[in-house]
Amino acid sequence: MAPVAHHLRWSLVDIPYDHIEPGRIAGSQDWFYLLAGASFVETLSDLYTRNLREYYRQNATVSAWLGEEWELEELQHGRALREYVLRVWPEFRWDEAYARFVEAYAPLCRCDLLGPTPALEMASRCVVETGTSSFYTMIQHASPEPVLSQLAARIRSDEVHHYKYFLRFFREYQKKERVSRWKVLRELWRRVSEADQEDSYLAVKCAYETSNPGQEFGSGDFSHLRKRMSGWVRKHYPFEMAVKMLLKPVALPPLLNRLMLPLLTRGARLVVAGGQD
Ligand SMILES: [Fe+2]
Ligand SMILES: [Fe+2]
């Protein structure tokens, strides 16, 4: 296991915020909600880390990495996105909207329900990091504004790095636990099907309702937002990369893996974007 790095690989000063071209993106409410929502979810990482560190407290390497690298990087993602959002939409009351999000989400946060075994929880973390890696890859390519692409590329590389750590931890636990491929698959499926989670919906809802006092944002509005985005999701979501990352913990025999990949990639395209090409 590589030693835990105690410093961040980039910081906000590496992002050329002064070169943002707001005219390219400021007019799009969809981008605003997407990025504000992402900044909230990232900023809430302290809550997730606390629970996860508690769960893995027996494992000094995992616990140290979570506290000294993972949490710091996730929190930095939140700060960097917050800064971007406020540069482009300076009138947005970020702190107020975030407080609203914490209030709405904290009671629903099921992040203390970890497990059912250390290996399977690591497999779940791989799913989460696959989701964030793919999300920021998509943002990087779909962004109409160059500084946002740069920021998304930085965040994306952290997320891939997190995935690799969780995968390594998963493999170490798996040597001891020897969970069956079927159980790993079931756990992955459970997490993938939860991907449409409460947190992103609530994050967008709180951003919307803070910006539009007196107006309510419902699940129908969220579906409309997703429908409007589906064109560029279809175009820019890295489906094959996501499926490859998801399949790694299952460790299928190479031939089966090669056979499954195109099929699952097509399936993922249908599930995520609701259509083919
Ligand atoms: Fe992140
Ligand atoms: Fe991450």
Side-chain angles (χ1 to χ4, degrees):
M1 177 63 55
V4 171
H6 294 277
H7 57 87
L8 297 163
R9 283 165 297 140
W10 58 277
S11 78
L12 268 62
V13 296
D14 299 314
I15 309 300
Y17 288 108
D18 291 336
H19 293 121
I20 295 174
E21 299 172 47
R24 286 173 170 257
I25 192 168
S28 166
Q29 289 297 297
D30 291 347
W31 275 101
F32 164 66
Y33 293 123
L34 193 68
L35 297 173
S39 73
F40 295 165
V41 174
E42 295 278 3
T43 305
L44 201 70
S45 298
D46 52 351
L47 191 64
Y48 301 115
T49 315
R50 215 180 316 136
N51 292 305
L52 213 52
R53 283 191 82 181
E54 172 62 22
Y55 186 79
Y56 288 108
R57 65 187 177 280
Q58 316 280 15
N59 187 327
T61 312
V62 170
S63 175
W65 179 74
L66 287 172
E68 290 161 27
E69 193 170 318
W70 185 67
E71 178 179 19
L72 301 185
E73 292 188 350
E74 300 294 13
L75 290 177
Q76 178 162 278
H77 300 166
R79 280 199 309 280
L81 287 164
R82 175 187 189 275
E83 181 66 23
Y84 187 87
V85 166
L86 289 175
R87 293 281 186 127
V88 178
W89 296 277
E91 68 288 354
F92 180 51
R93 299 190 304 279
W94 192 95
D95 293 326
E96 184 188 327
Y98 180 66
R100 204 172 176 144
F101 170 63
V102 173
E103 202 185 312
Y105 185 60
L108 304 176
C109 180
R110 296 163 57 86
C111 40
D112 54 332
L113 298 176
L114 303 176
T117 76
L120 288 174
E121 179 55 34
M122 286 300 178
S124 293
R125 303 316 310 176
C126 290
V127 173
V128 174
E129 300 292 351
T130 298
T132 52
S133 303
S134 325
F135 176 76
Y136 291 109
T137 303
M138 178 179 77
I139 301 291
Q140 180 190 345
H141 296 301
S143 168
E145 198 288 309
V147 176
L148 177 61
S149 293
Q150 284 185 48
L151 172 57
R154 294 272 190 183
I155 299 180
R156 173 202 187 270
S157 82
D158 286 349
E159 308 293 14
V160 172
H161 182 76
H162 298 163
Y163 168 87
K164 287 180 180 162
Y165 264 86
F166 284 121
L167 182 65
R168 211 175 326 168
F169 293 143
F170 164 78
R171 286 175 173 157
E172 279 168 20
Y173 277 112
Q174 181 64 327
K175 272 186 215 146
K176 292 176 243 162
E177 289 186 26
R178 302 188 163 277
V179 181
S180 74
R181 198 171 273 153
W182 165 243
K183 272 196 180 148
V184 174
L185 206 58
R186 209 170 51 186
E187 184 65 11
L188 295 178
W189 176 250
R190 193 177 68 79
R191 289 308 283 246
V192 169
S193 56
E194 274 175 13
D196 198 3
Q197 282 157 2
E198 210 74 59
D199 57 356
S200 44
Y201 164 64
L202 284 174
V204 171
K205 179 180 168 69
C206 293
Y208 181 90
E209 290 177 359
T210 303
S211 309
N212 302 278
Q215 290 185 46
E216 221 177 286
F217 184 90
S219 50
D221 300 307
F222 193 57
S223 309
H224 284 136
L225 172 71
R226 292 175 55 142
K227 212 167 262 167
R228 285 197 299 277
M229 288 178 356
S230 67
W232 58 260
V233 170
R234 243 197 309 274
K235 194 159 164 212
H236 297 290
Y237 195 88
F239 293 98
E240 189 174 328
M241 174 188 112
V243 170
K244 269 186 185 155
M245 288 168 85
L246 282 178
L247 283 179
K248 274 201 176 147
V250 187
L252 292 175
L255 180 64
L256 189 57
N257 204 48
R258 270 208 304 282
L259 286 172
M260 295 290 281
L261 191 63
L263 198 68
L264 289 172
T265 304
R266 225 166 41 232
R269 199 174 275 277
L270 280 169
V271 172
V272 176
Q276 297 189 40
D277 303 317

